[in-house]
Amino acid sequence: MSRLKMVAGNWKMNKTLQEGVALAAQLKEDVKNPSCAVVIGTPFIHLATVAELLKDSPIKVAAENCADKEKGAFTGEVSAEMVRSTGATYCILGHSERRAYYHEDYEILKNKVELALANGLDVIFCIGEVKEERESGKQNEVVQAQLDGSVFHLSAGQWKHITLAYEPVWAIGTGLTATPSQAQDMHAFIRSLVADKYGAEAAEATTILYGGSCNEKNAAELFACPDIDGGLIGGAALVAEKFEAIIAAR
């Protein structure tokens, strides 16, 4: 079974609305017939404008987060329903920065995943270990606990709307990158966990992205690994030419 290949960009807290629209417009002009799925994750204030701009484009739009509550008196929060109403079709959840800086635990992320799916959003769910966990050989244990804690309760039908993104935290924004061998080993392990939970066919169909200083120079080598289906791109997604080179590498 062939599985969806994807390159997704995560802009994080970068680009004014005007700058973001300009970048999205350039991508729309340049990326007409990509050989893989292309998704860009933008700040909340960009979503409606960028989604409208890209509605006739192959490029899909993701929110970088959503609230763990359905609605109500939660000042400053943005619900999954609100995200979907902008025209966005994906939501990035579980990013290591959300876990570390905003203390999002397994239960919070479980609620976010459920609300995103209930509102028709596909989820890019991030997992990965910090440097100390890698150095102590606990990376597999950590990744399995993250999956068990937040997404492995989903039904087989819900699982079809989950894309996984393995991001070794020690390689995000540091200039370090997991070697292709390290990345492939972890992706294969993750796929084996999915197989144990949902069966071999579901595992084979699950898209698993690599995130962690993936750029236009190392993308092709990483993407050549059999269990790496694409990338979740940070800094390189902020420059059209670099992001387009990564898309071409997939």
Side-chain angles (χ1 to χ4, degrees):
M1 178 184 296
S2 63
R3 56 183 172 264
L4 182 69
K5 308 298 185 182
M6 179 188 294
V7 172
N10 179 17
W11 292 2
K12 307 189 181 185
M13 196 174 70
N14 293 292
K15 302 290 184 185
T16 64
L17 176 58
Q18 293 76 18
E19 291 168 343
V21 169
L23 175 53
Q26 184 173 350
L27 292 172
K28 180 181 180 180
E29 178 64 27
D30 296 344
V31 181
K32 292 287 195 351
N33 296 293
S35 58
C36 64
V38 178
V39 180
I40 54 172
T42 80
F44 285 134
I45 66 162
H46 299 54
L47 283 178
T49 307
V50 170
E52 177 66 22
L53 174 67
L54 296 176
K55 68 180 182 180
D56 298 321
S57 162
I59 303 171
K60 305 298 184 185
V61 180
E64 299 176 15
N65 184 31
C66 73
D68 64 334
K69 303 291 192 295
E70 184 176 359
K71 62 177 64 176
F74 303 102
T75 299
E77 288 295 295
V78 176
S79 71
E81 182 181 31
M82 292 174 181
V83 169
R84 189 67 184 90
S85 74
T86 67
T89 55
Y90 281 85
C91 189
I92 300 170
L93 295 173
H95 195 281
S96 60
E97 291 157 4
R98 299 294 313 178
R99 295 177 190 264
Y101 305 152
Y102 303 101
H103 312 294
E104 294 187 358
D105 60 20
Y106 297 160
E107 192 64 25
I108 288 172
L109 290 171
K110 181 179 178 181
N111 291 339
K112 290 187 176 194
V113 168
E114 290 175 351
L115 285 166
L117 294 175
N119 283 280
L121 295 165
D122 285 351
V123 171
I124 299 174
F125 189 76
C126 304
I127 49 179
E129 79 282 0
V130 300
K131 185 179 180 184
E132 294 75 18
E133 292 163 341
R134 164 66 65 165
E135 290 176 344
S136 61
K138 294 181 178 177
Q139 64 271 18
N140 288 11
E141 176 185 335
V142 168
V143 165
Q144 182 166 2
Q146 290 170 342
L147 291 167
D148 285 339
S150 301
V151 293
F152 269 179
H153 68 289
L154 298 173
S155 69
Q158 289 174 310
W159 185 258
K160 293 177 181 178
H161 297 280
I162 299 291
T163 294
L164 296 176
Y166 168 62
E167 40 165 36
V169 182
W170 46 271
I172 298 174
T174 62
L176 300 173
T177 309
T179 65
S181 176
Q182 287 175 318
Q184 165 58 26
D185 286 350
M186 179 56 83
H187 279 237
F189 173 68
I190 293 167
R191 203 174 301 284
S192 75
L193 295 178
V194 178
D196 289 344
K197 181 67 181 177
Y198 295 103
E201 186 174 337
E204 186 60 28
T206 298
T207 298
I208 309 176
L209 309 178
Y210 173 78
S213 296
C214 180
N215 57 48
E216 73 282 5
K217 296 177 181 177
N218 58 28
E221 186 177 16
L222 287 163
F223 295 169
C225 297
D227 286 293
I228 298 179
D229 302 314
L232 178 60
I233 314 302
L238 298 171
V239 180
E241 293 78 11
K242 292 182 178 182
F243 191 55
E244 290 163 14
I246 296 170
I247 294 168
R250 178 62 279 177

